[in-house]
Amino acid sequence: MKTPNPTRRSERSRQAILSAAFDLVAEIGYAKLTVEAIAARAGVGKQTIYRWWPSKGAVFVEAVLDLSRDERGELALPDTGDLRADLRGVLRAIVDEYNDPKLDAMSRALSAEALADPALNSEITGRILGPILEATRERLRSARRAGQVAADADLSVAVELLFGPVYHRWMLRTNPLTHEYADTVVEFALRALAPTQGESDSVSVKG
Amino acid sequence: MKTPNPTRRSERSRQAILSAAFDLVAEIGYAKLTVEAIAARAGVGKQTIYRWWPSKGAVFVEAVLDLSRDERGELALPDTGDLRADLRGVLRAIVDEYNDPKLDAMSRALSAEALADPALNSEITGRILGPILEATRERLRSARRAGQVAADADLSVAVELLFGPVYHRWMLRTNPLTHEYADTVVEFALRALAPTQGESDSVSVKG
Amino acid sequence: MKTPNPTRRSERSRQAILSAAFDLVAEIGYAKLTVEAIAARAGVGKQTIYRWWPSKGAVFVEAVLDLSRDERGELALPDTGDLRADLRGVLRAIVDEYNDPKLDAMSRALSAEALADPALNSEITGRILGPILEATRERLRSARRAGQVAADADLSVAVELLFGPVYHRWMLRTNPLTHEYADTVVEFALRALAPTQGESDSVSVKG
Amino acid sequence: MKTPNPTRRSERSRQAILSAAFDLVAEIGYAKLTVEAIAARAGVGKQTIYRWWPSKGAVFVEAVLDLSRDERGELALPDTGDLRADLRGVLRAIVDEYNDPKLDAMSRALSAEALADPALNSEITGRILGPILEATRERLRSARRAGQVAADADLSVAVELLFGPVYHRWMLRTNPLTHEYADTVVEFALRALAPTQGESDSVSVKG
DNA sequence: CAATAAGCGAGACGGTACGTCCCGTCTTGGG
DNA sequence: CCCAAGACGGGACGTACCGTCTCGCTTATTG
């Protein structure tokens, strides 16, 4: 196992490889993506790919991460004080992403890759999903401080209560993903997370 | 494209292929499964596989469906009258399945296949997941009649409120799947689905 | 080994198979001829072919024989008394056949088949070439009686002296096959076969 | 159609492929030779064969050519002055080769290949047969200068007069190929080629 | 400031599996 | 019992990619 020296690495090649991979997935789909095609498209030797990435999946994940780096930077949910509205905003945004054919296809490709390769899975969930989940958790924490959420609520589960249903419906295509659906999920979640009677009778959810 | 005549089909070969595929996935994993290996193991020509299935994924899905045909027959959740207990039973059972390495691997393989091929997806969800979801929906319907669930609750969403979080956590490996977790999800769901104050004051959830 | 009963044989199928084979060779060439294609073209089950012929080569040979049956019937060289003219006639006719692209291709196919399969070889040489060689030998025998050919000449070799050069040139494509060439070969052969001085001084070849 | 770069070609693989092909033909016969078997025997990927040769026939022909490269180098018939003896030597040698089962099989394989593929045909005749024919023609030219052969004899035809009959008999297996037969053919040829009466009365064929 | 060592493009290599074609056998149903 | 139809186990085809391995060719320190 030789560990190449990263200081010598060609940034030009790295960029060419990542965008070649990204474009090819858009054109032919992730399933038909090959390392040889990436190399050819990028004008790069295959060895240069194998030197820096362990698999085509890793290249693709990095491509996605790289191209969405800026957006996700310091992701934070807006905190308008209106928890219901803020959560609706997140879920509706996610529903919108899943309804974009390009993003849908890419997300499914990433998910399939994550299913097969645990290492890629943690990469993906850690760097793409992670920040969103964390930001939502943070928003719920703030709401809990404001007494809008039960004091003993497990926020990790709370987050899954919001994203789980949407993810489930998207993955299994059981029913259409609409804004109305997103709102319904938020409504259920708010009820589930609401402080118990008497815990805080002076503060309403809408507060 | 010539469509072969199914009346002449060899049932013996079909069975051999399906169980070869199933066994091979158990032994070497879905990712390393090949059509050639299935054919060799089944003592069958490759053409016989390609004649009846479009891909190795389709073979595997049919293998799973075929071998689980009897079990899922007329699936119905127990209805003890105790909704909390009944739902805990379902979610804990699912958590147990996902914690079995064999079943876990197989489920991930099926999910990956479903992601890549919408046709297989509906086959899978329709014949494996569908019955479970429907049975749970039926149990909730019964609970709604008993006044334990809000009269206006959308049961399709309710089901996703239960399964979504578990599925999310399993797929993304964000946290361990435990019975305790299952119970927490049930608790949240029951609160979310609970009849609104005054809707029915003579009936408690615990019934 | 089952020996089918020839009395039950379908003459209609036999004819269909032979002409399908013949036509297919004309269309796609002998090398690409397949039993399945013959069966499909003839509207016949593959088994019907395998029941009556041992190989596709055998079918083709029989096809050629069958379609040229009449011509070769009781083949005999003309005996005008002019040996030179008669032999030129045969060789020129052969040269003409080899110069016909259709017949050329077919002859090469037959030769290739004969090279690979001794059984077909004797079939071919016995039933196609044989009669021609025998007729020529007969003509030479007549000439020998007339004193135009040396009394001790081995006529089997004599025949090869005539056909060998033409065959050699055709097979190896070393030089073009022309009537002039045929005549030259005849000339050489006549000299080679001429009676030795004094053996018969009153009879000339041209006689 | 990408044409590979010959400078990067592996000579080791080339040699392994050629001798594997040669050995396999000797062991199982040309008809049963497969590209896969050659690759396996040579310890080579199939693609390496397809990269450099268009067909198994081409591999075999090159194998034969390569292994007989040295022998045929500057082929020249012995010129003892005794034309009859020299020609008998050539034809007897050829008869011997055809009577060696190994060489017989190989020659038939080459002939079949040459029949099906004109490109290979010229390769074969040009590099294997060509030199022999040319050497014989040269010997006859020398004999013509010595007055043992008619001045106006077409030596290309003369050569075919010698080899044609032998080739004919070998290809068609009409009669056994013996030294006696070779001698007979030489005898006929010498008579055919002999100078006409009076053309040169001071020189006999026997020299 | 040469020497030298790394990354690089290119692409040949040994391999594995693909999906197709055809082989020769076997089975079914019809005449 | 022959026939048409065609499914079957099997073997080879020629192709696509895999991941590894040289090749020369830049390029960027470093003795």
Side-chain angles (χ1 to χ4, degrees):
Chain A
M1 179 78 80
K2 70 179 99 174
T3 34
N5 180 351
T7 65
R8 293 252 194 179
R9 184 170 187 180
S10 159
E11 180 58 21
R12 150 184 280 275
S13 292
R14 186 179 160 276
Q15 285 298 342
I17 289 163
L18 293 182
S19 64
F22 194 85
D23 295 353
L24 280 168
V25 168
E27 286 171 31
I28 61 175
Y30 178 79
K32 290 183 188 168
L33 182 68
T34 67
V35 172
E36 293 206 330
I38 297 173
R41 170 75 66 103
V44 139
K46 286 198 293 174
Q47 196 58 252
T48 302
I49 296 180
Y50 285 111
R51 191 163 15 238
W52 302 110
W53 290 274
S55 67
K56 69 163 184 171
V59 176
F60 177 56
V61 170
E62 183 167 337
V64 171
L65 289 172
D66 218 58
L67 296 173
S68 63
R69 189 162 16 114
D70 316 322
E71 316 166 28
R72 312 282 183 190
E74 297 286 304
L75 197 110
L77 251 58
D79 188 344
T80 63
D82 183 347
L83 179 62
R84 171 173 285 109
D86 290 351
L87 294 180
R88 282 184 171 184
V90 206
L91 286 210
R92 285 180 172 204
I94 288 177
V95 161
D96 287 345
E97 287 197 4
Y98 284 155
N99 278 322
D100 172 14
K102 279 265 166 59
L103 284 171
D104 175 84
M106 209 155 65
S107 301
R108 289 185 196 279
L110 282 169
S111 294
E113 212 48 35
L115 274 166
D117 183 343
L120 284 180
N121 174 75
S122 60
E123 190 82 359
I124 292 168
T125 54
R127 293 173 59 181
I128 301 185
L129 250 79
I132 307 177
L133 299 182
E134 176 49 34
T136 309
R137 195 155 40 234
E138 183 50 39
R139 179 65 188 82
L140 288 171
R141 199 170 293 125
S142 151
R144 190 166 58 182
R145 276 194 303 270
Q148 296 161 341
V149 160
D152 62 344
D154 183 331
L155 297 189
S156 290
V157 185
V159 163
E160 288 166 339
L161 213 61
L162 285 161
F163 292 91
V166 177
Y167 189 64
H168 191 267
R169 184 167 282 208
W170 169 67
M171 279 283 291
L172 307 175
R173 305 179 206 251
T174 41
N175 279 298
L177 277 175
T178 62
H179 281 194
E180 192 200 355
Y181 174 69
D183 295 350
T184 306
V185 170
V186 168
E187 224 51 47
F188 274 126
L190 287 179
R191 275 194 235 169
L193 296 169
T196 48
Q197 214 98 30
E199 185 186 346
S200 118
D201 37 17
S202 61
V203 184
S204 82
V205 167
K206 191 64 174 291
Chain B
M1 180 77 81
K2 70 177 80 170
T3 33
N5 179 350
T7 66
R8 294 240 183 273
R9 183 167 187 180
S10 160
E11 181 58 21
R12 150 184 281 274
S13 293
R14 186 179 159 275
Q15 286 299 341
I17 288 163
L18 293 182
S19 63
F22 193 86
D23 295 353
L24 280 168
V25 168
E27 287 172 30
I28 60 174
Y30 179 78
K32 290 184 189 167
L33 182 68
T34 66
V35 173
E36 290 202 332
I38 298 173
R41 171 75 68 103
V44 140
K46 282 199 291 177
Q47 196 59 48
T48 301
I49 296 180
Y50 285 111
R51 181 148 40 226
W52 302 110
W53 291 275
S55 67
K56 68 164 186 170
V59 176
F60 176 57
V61 170
E62 183 167 336
V64 172
L65 292 173
D66 219 58
L67 295 172
S68 65
R69 187 162 16 116
D70 314 320
E71 313 167 28
R72 313 283 182 188
E74 298 285 305
L75 197 110
L77 251 58
D79 188 344
T80 64
D82 183 345
L83 180 61
R84 171 172 285 111
D86 289 352
L87 294 180
R88 283 183 171 185
V90 206
L91 287 209
R92 285 180 172 202
I94 287 177
V95 161
D96 288 344
E97 287 197 4
Y98 284 155
N99 279 320
D100 172 12
K102 281 264 168 60
L103 284 171
D104 175 83
M106 212 156 65
S107 301
R108 289 184 195 278
L110 281 172
S111 293
E113 219 44 44
L115 274 166
D117 184 342
L120 288 181
N121 173 74
S122 61
E123 192 80 2
I124 293 168
T125 55
R127 293 175 57 180
I128 300 187
L129 250 79
I132 306 177
L133 300 181
E134 175 51 32
T136 308
R137 197 156 36 235
E138 183 51 38
R139 180 64 189 84
L140 288 171
R141 200 170 291 126
S142 152
R144 193 167 55 183
R145 277 195 301 272
Q148 296 161 340
V149 159
D152 63 344
D154 182 332
L155 297 189
S156 289
V157 186
V159 163
E160 288 165 339
L161 215 60
L162 286 161
F163 291 92
V166 177
Y167 190 64
H168 192 268
R169 184 168 281 208
W170 170 68
M171 280 283 293
L172 306 174
R173 304 178 208 251
T174 40
N175 281 298
L177 276 174
T178 61
H179 281 196
E180 193 199 354
Y181 174 68
D183 294 351
T184 307
V185 170
V186 168
E187 225 52 47
F188 274 127
L190 287 179
R191 276 194 234 168
L193 297 169
T196 48
Q197 218 120 21
E199 185 185 349
S200 117
D201 37 19
S202 62
V203 184
S204 84
V205 166
K206 190 65 177 289
Chain C
M1 181 74 82
K2 68 179 100 173
T3 34
N5 180 351
T7 64
R8 292 254 194 174
R9 183 169 188 181
S10 159
E11 181 57 21
R12 149 185 280 275
S13 292
R14 185 178 160 276
Q15 286 298 343
I17 289 163
L18 293 181
S19 63
F22 194 85
D23 294 353
L24 279 168
V25 168
E27 286 171 31
I28 60 175
Y30 178 79
K32 290 182 186 168
L33 182 68
T34 67
V35 173
E36 293 204 331
I38 297 173
R41 170 75 68 102
V44 139
K46 285 199 293 174
Q47 196 59 252
T48 303
I49 296 179
Y50 285 112
R51 188 157 25 235
W52 303 110
W53 290 275
S55 67
K56 69 163 184 170
V59 176
F60 177 56
V61 170
E62 184 167 336
V64 171
L65 289 171
D66 218 57
L67 295 172
S68 65
R69 189 163 15 118
D70 315 321
E71 316 166 27
R72 314 281 182 189
E74 297 285 306
L75 198 110
L77 252 57
D79 188 345
T80 63
D82 182 346
L83 179 61
R84 170 173 286 109
D86 291 351
L87 293 180
R88 283 182 169 183
V90 207
L91 287 210
R92 285 180 170 202
I94 287 178
V95 161
D96 288 344
E97 287 197 2
Y98 284 154
N99 279 322
D100 171 15
K102 278 266 167 58
L103 283 171
D104 174 84
M106 208 155 66
S107 302
R108 289 185 196 276
L110 282 169
S111 294
E113 212 49 35
L115 274 167
D117 184 343
L120 285 180
N121 174 75
S122 61
E123 190 83 358
I124 293 168
T125 54
R127 294 175 56 182
I128 301 185
L129 249 79
I132 306 177
L133 299 182
E134 176 50 34
T136 308
R137 195 155 41 236
E138 183 51 40
R139 180 64 187 84
L140 288 171
R141 200 170 291 125
S142 151
R144 190 166 59 183
R145 277 195 303 271
Q148 297 161 340
V149 160
D152 63 345
D154 182 332
L155 296 190
S156 290
V157 186
V159 163
E160 289 167 338
L161 213 61
L162 285 162
F163 291 92
V166 176
Y167 189 64
H168 192 267
R169 182 168 282 208
W170 169 68
M171 279 283 291
L172 307 176
R173 306 179 205 251
T174 40
N175 280 299
L177 277 176
T178 62
H179 280 195
E180 192 199 356
Y181 174 69
D183 294 351
T184 307
V185 170
V186 168
E187 224 51 46
F188 274 127
L190 286 178
R191 275 194 235 169
L193 295 168
T196 48
Q197 212 97 31
E199 185 186 347
S200 121
D201 39 18
S202 61
V203 185
S204 84
V205 167
K206 190 63 176 291
Chain D
M1 180 76 82
K2 70 178 81 168
T3 32
N5 179 350
T7 66
R8 294 240 183 274
R9 183 169 187 179
S10 159
E11 180 59 21
R12 151 185 280 272
S13 293
R14 186 179 160 274
Q15 286 299 341
I17 289 163
L18 293 181
S19 64
F22 194 86
D23 294 354
L24 280 168
V25 168
E27 287 172 30
I28 61 174
Y30 179 79
K32 289 183 188 168
L33 182 67
T34 67
V35 173
E36 291 202 333
I38 297 173
R41 170 75 68 105
V44 141
K46 282 200 290 178
Q47 197 58 49
T48 301
I49 296 179
Y50 285 112
R51 181 149 39 225
W52 302 111
W53 291 275
S55 67
K56 68 164 185 168
V59 177
F60 176 56
V61 170
E62 183 167 336
V64 171
L65 290 173
D66 218 58
L67 296 171
S68 65
R69 188 164 15 118
D70 315 319
E71 314 167 26
R72 313 285 183 184
E74 297 285 305
L75 198 111
L77 252 58
D79 187 346
T80 63
D82 183 346
L83 180 61
R84 170 173 286 110
D86 290 350
L87 293 180
R88 282 183 170 183
V90 207
L91 285 209
R92 285 181 171 201
I94 287 177
V95 161
D96 288 345
E97 287 198 3
Y98 284 154
N99 279 322
D100 171 12
K102 281 264 167 60
L103 284 171
D104 175 83
M106 211 157 64
S107 301
R108 288 186 195 277
L110 282 171
S111 294
E113 219 44 45
L115 272 166
D117 183 342
L120 288 181
N121 174 75
S122 63
E123 191 82 359
I124 294 168
T125 53
R127 294 175 54 181
I128 300 187
L129 250 79
I132 307 179
L133 299 182
E134 175 51 32
T136 309
R137 196 155 39 236
E138 182 52 38
R139 180 64 187 84
L140 288 171
R141 200 170 291 126
S142 151
R144 191 166 57 183
R145 276 196 301 272
Q148 296 161 341
V149 160
D152 63 345
D154 181 333
L155 296 190
S156 289
V157 186
V159 163
E160 288 166 339
L161 216 60
L162 285 162
F163 291 93
V166 176
Y167 189 65
H168 192 267
R169 180 167 283 207
W170 169 68
M171 279 285 291
L172 307 175
R173 305 177 206 251
T174 40
N175 279 299
L177 277 175
T178 61
H179 280 196
E180 193 200 354
Y181 173 69
D183 294 352
T184 307
V185 170
V186 168
E187 225 51 47
F188 274 127
L190 287 178
R191 276 195 233 167
L193 296 169
T196 48
Q197 218 119 23
E199 184 186 347
S200 116
D201 37 19
S202 61
V203 186
S204 84
V205 166
K206 192 63 177 289

